[in-house]
Amino acid sequence: MSATKWTAVRIRAMKGQGKFACLTAYDFSTARLVDEAGIPLILVGDSLAMTMLGYDTTLPVTMAAMLHHAAAVARGVSGALVVADMPFMSYQVSVAQALENAGRFIKEAGADAVKIEGGRFRAPTVKALIENGIPVLAHIGLTPQSIHTLGGYKVQGKKSEEAQRLVEDAQALEDAGAFAIVLECLPPALGEAITKTVGIPTIGIGAGPHCDGQILVTHDLLGITGEVSPKFIKRYAALGASMKQAFSEYKREVEQGHFPGPEHCYT
Ligand code: KIV
């Protein structure tokens, strides 16, 4: 392992050392660019169910699909920590199931760590994974794999008892050994409270500016996803529009006989 490679241990040590940016990636070429930009943590999110595969939720994505994309990302990365998101029902059934599937991400896909959703009830799974050499990124707040029980994509922890429960969940996951925790869709004050309570980095997505790190879905950041998007997204580019323009220009040039030109032909 190169000295500049980000590890779960290094990410954990970022607590209190300044803020850091994380992104998702699902393919080799994007992962390479994200890595070259110096992003320390790349998540092969199960959001690929929506961004890459066109499903309405993250629930249908399979282990086979996640392994396929995680392996492509791992091949494109030399510096960042590659975290594979464990898909719905690949770890919930039993600790043994979680161990077996998490092991596949490390052995077959070349991921460095896994992410699983859930609060204190997930602590035994987190502990077992870590005891068996697999670093775990926890994920609480809005956990999209529980969309049917949550009743929609809503801000979590607005009531004080819910907020307290989330603080305790974060503590339990830290005690179980998670190297960091994703906080999704929480009021900023709760993001701050959890960040101040735990000794591991919090990585926010829609959880305000006080988290130790931030993560965005790369397709959202690049402006490739649809117009309707959650408030917490910031678009740093309008690649969707640029791509459409390039496709149209190519179509026109082919139809008008301008492409290929002499410079694109072998002599
Ligand atoms: O799947 C994903 O992309 C995620 C991030 C939103 C944290 O879980």
Side-chain angles (χ1 to χ4, degrees):
M1 190 183 296
S2 91
T4 53
K5 168 82 180 161
W6 281 91
T7 61
V9 173
R10 246 182 106 190
I11 296 284
R12 193 183 197 290
M14 283 299 289
K15 185 75 183 181
Q17 301 302 308
K19 296 190 184 283
F20 59 96
C22 311
L23 281 173
T24 64
Y26 317 109
D27 67 279
F28 170 83
S29 303
T30 311
R32 191 168 51 82
L33 294 172
V34 173
D35 191 47
E36 283 173 8
I39 297 286
L41 185 155
I42 297 179
L43 172 68
V44 189
D46 62 355
S47 50
L48 75 80
M50 296 150 102
T51 55
M52 303 295 287
L53 305 178
Y55 291 113
D56 285 342
T57 69
T58 59
L59 303 184
V61 74
T62 60
M63 268 301 293
M66 290 301 301
L67 283 167
H68 178 78
H69 286 272
V73 168
R75 286 192 288 271
V77 169
S78 59
L81 183 81
V82 176
V83 181
D85 216 355
M86 295 195 66
F88 181 57
M89 283 303 139
S90 71
Y91 59 96
Q92 288 92 338
V93 177
S94 66
V95 170
Q97 184 212 28
L99 274 171
E100 204 167 307
N101 283 325
R104 294 190 69 194
F105 280 114
I106 309 295
K107 278 180 84 164
E108 296 173 34
D112 303 308
V114 297
K115 175 167 85 59
I116 61 176
E117 297 183 3
R120 70 195 77 179
F121 58 93
R122 206 63 78 199
T125 307
V126 172
K127 193 163 180 289
L129 290 170
I130 290 153
E131 281 171 352
N132 286 284
I134 301 174
V136 179
L137 175 60
H139 182 163
I140 60 171
L142 172 54
T143 44
Q145 292 178 12
S146 304
I147 194 63
H148 294 311
T149 45
L150 294 176
Y153 296 98
K154 302 179 203 163
V155 180
Q156 304 295 304
K158 279 164 116 178
K159 295 195 187 127
S160 66
E161 61 275 22
E162 272 175 30
Q164 182 54 32
R165 186 177 49 76
L166 284 163
V167 173
E168 289 165 10
D169 280 345
Q171 279 171 321
L173 292 161
E174 177 185 5
D175 292 346
F179 71 87
I181 310 181
V182 171
L183 304 181
E184 181 162 353
C185 248
L186 304 180
L190 179 54
E192 182 176 16
I194 296 175
T195 302
K196 284 187 171 155
T197 302
V198 295
I200 54 175
T202 57
I203 301 175
I205 174 158
H210 306 289
C211 298
D212 301 292
Q214 296 289 331
I215 187 162
L216 280 176
V217 168
T218 294
H219 282 53
D220 292 335
L221 170 149
L222 294 176
I224 300 175
T225 41
E227 290 308 305
V228 184
S229 55
K231 183 176 177 167
F232 57 75
I233 287 170
K234 178 167 176 186
R235 294 188 192 279
Y236 286 81
L239 288 203
S242 302
M243 286 166 78
K244 232 192 280 181
Q245 194 188 334
F247 301 147
S248 305
E249 202 173 318
Y250 163 69
K251 173 176 180 283
R252 199 188 60 247
E253 288 201 357
V254 169
E255 287 169 358
Q256 294 177 352
H258 298 318
F259 177 82
E263 69 276 30
H264 306 117
C265 297
Y266 297 105
T267 49

